[in-house]
């Protein structure tokens, strides 16, 4: 895991989404599935043409199938 993204901010929308995505990935690496799920949920309403949005949806779909 890498805490670099935890304190990073940006004024541009895509970079903000990218930061959230990497925070979510880091949360999964740290075993914090609740935080990861919360962060991925922030991304799924964005433009699905973005890779990070598709990956967030895939993660959440996989989480739902494990319940």
């Amino acid at each position: 895991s890498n805490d670099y993204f935890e304190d990073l901010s940006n004024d541009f929308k895509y970079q903000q989404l990218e930061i959230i995505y990497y925070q979510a990935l880091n949360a999964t690496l740290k075993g914090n599935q609740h935080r990861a799920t919360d962060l991925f949920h922030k991304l799924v309403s964005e433009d699905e043409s973005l890779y990070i949005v598709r990956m967030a949806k895939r993660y959440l779909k996989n989480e739902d199938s494990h319940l």
Side-chain angles (χ1 to χ4, degrees):
S1 83
N2 183 341
D3 290 330
Y4 171 77
F5 294 99
E6 294 306 316
D7 297 319
L8 198 60
S9 64
N10 197 301
D11 293 333
F12 296 101
K13 180 72 172 185
Y14 180 78
Q15 283 77 14
Q16 291 170 354
L17 297 175
E18 194 172 47
I19 289 166
I20 293 168
Y21 177 72
Y22 285 112
Q23 287 174 337
L25 290 180
N26 281 334
T28 63
L29 291 174
K30 292 178 179 181
N32 191 343
Q33 301 311 115
H34 180 73
R35 184 173 189 317
T37 301
D38 287 347
L39 290 166
F40 282 130
H41 272 290
K42 290 182 180 182
L43 297 173
V44 296
S45 64
E46 299 296 335
D47 184 354
E48 195 167 339
S49 69
L50 298 173
Y51 173 80
I52 59 177
V53 173
R54 292 192 310 269
M55 292 299 101
K57 287 182 178 186
R58 181 180 293 172
Y59 174 87
L60 293 171
K61 180 180 176 186
N62 288 338
E63 280 298 298
D64 286 342
S65 69
H66 288 100
L67 294 176

